[in-house]
Each structure stands twice: as C-alpha cells, then as structure tokens.
Amino acid sequence: EVQLLESGGGLVQPGGSLRLSCVASGFTFSSYAMTWVRQAPGKGLEWVSSIGGGGGSGGSSHHADSVKGRFTISRGNSRNTLYLQMNSLRAEDTALYYCAKGYSDLSRASLQYWGQGTLVTVSS
Amino acid sequence: QSVLTQPPSASGTPGQRITISCSGGSSNIGRNTVDWYQQLPGTAPKLLLSSNNQRPSGVPDRFSGSKSGTSASLAISGLQSEDEADYYCAVWDDSLSGRVFGGGTKLTVL
C-alpha cells in the first residue's frame, strides 16, 4: 500500500523559512516523479513543484513562477523522502501542502497518490 | 486567475448525468493529456481520471472523460449523493514548464 506522510508545517513569520518532508512507502521511491501541490484555505489546488524520478538524487525539477527562487524541491532516495525547502515566506504561501506520487518518472505524469497534507501558516 | 477555466459550480439530481467543462489553450490541453481529480469535503484530492479518460482501479465507470482541441470535459452518469465534491482538471503546460489546475467545480447533488 502506497503511503505518503508529510511533516514540517507550522507557524512561521513572514520572511522566515521552513523545510517540508514527505516520507514515502509502498513503492520504489526513486523510480517515480514526486510533486508538491498546495491549497490555501477555502481555495483551489495550486501546483508548486515537481521533481523527476529515475535514480541518483532525482531527475529535473520544476517550480511554479509564484515560488521560483524561493522554494526548492529535492529528494533523498536513500531515505524515501521528498523535501520542499521554503525560504522568504509570504502570507500568500499560507496553505495546506500536499505531497503526491506521479504515475511515472516524468514530472508531467498524473498524480496517482496523495498524502494528507501539512499546514503552513505564514503570519506575524 | 487559473490558466484552465472551469465553471465554479454544477448541480444535478440523483440518477442524472452531468458534465463539467475545462477550457485551456494550445500549450496545455492542446498538446497534453488531461487529468481529473476529485476532492471530497475535508479530504485530500484523489485521481479520478488520467490521460483524458483512463480510470484508475476502483473508480466507477459512471465517470468518464473526453478531450477535443483545447477543451476537456468530465461526465458523471447515474449521479449519487456521494459524488458531491470539488472536481479539478489539470494538465502539463509546455510554455510554463509546469502543471496547471483549473479553478475547481463544486458539484452539488440536490
């Protein structure tokens, strides 16, 4: 059974940093693309970042324009863990952050499984 | 404003067939396949359809999808109360080099 468990969310001041983690189990983590998607309170889904699979430290990464230069996606295949380093946080980054597994090693692959999310609140 | 346009709401009665549209452009729907996600109240999203019309294991055949040009649609037949949820279309955008989601459609079963 595929499981994705996010952690690392919390309350942070504007301009601060957080690192989210997503521990995966039930599949060969290194072989699949992984994605972060966020959902602001009462709003729709917003893609944040994706990273390809295929071995090593991971494939190519992609970030939404809204987070480019501030957020960095990475993966630790030996630990079956996906990360999102978030710097220079803004109030508009407040959201529930979901980790999702792709159908294949390509970043553009459908999001086959989702975690339950971790809440990030940016406020002074 | 989302790159993909969905109606904000839809409704139907039990047993009815409804459709939800998703309109995009040449760099996204026009070039790539469309996924649909279902988000039941208070839960994480779930993949409903991939590659325009492929149902993952466990998804009833009441759900179907289609794509034509730069638009896609989700159809739900034999509407049931448990289908009440938010539905999102999504696709990879080659110009943005990223995934885009529609704004979501809230389905109400009357």
Side-chain angles (χ1 to χ4, degrees), chain A residues 39 107-111 114-115, chain B residues 32 35 37 39 44-45 94 99:
Chain A
Q39 186 169 35
S107 289
R108 63 177 61 214
S110 308
L111 304 179
W114 297 61
Chain B
N32 299 301
D35 302 327
Y37 298 90
Q39 188 174 31
D94 287 343
R99 188 182 308 273

Side-chain angles (χ1 to χ4, degrees), chain A residues 41-124:
Chain A
K43 302 297 184 182
L45 302 176
E46 180 188 14
W47 171 75
V48 176
S49 303
S50 294
I51 186 167
S57 61
S60 60
S61 61
H62 305 267
H63 296 82
D65 286 345
S66 59
V67 307
K68 206 168 285 184
R70 301 187 300 123
F71 291 11
T72 302
I73 190 172
S74 63
R75 60 192 303 159
N77 287 339
S78 61
R79 297 188 174 191
N80 288 351
T81 303
L82 177 71
Y83 303 101
L84 185 67
Q85 178 66 43
M86 305 187 297
N87 299 328
S88 303
L89 282 160
R90 306 167 179 166
E92 54 264 36
D93 296 319
T94 294
L96 186 61
Y97 284 72
Y98 294 104
C99 156
K101 169 192 175 293
Y103 243 124
S104 74
D105 62 337
L106 298 177
S107 289
R108 63 177 61 214
S110 308
L111 304 179
Q112 185 184 20
Y113 293 103
W114 297 61
Q116 291 305 303
T118 185
L119 182 63
V120 172
T121 303
V122 184
S123 174
S124 56

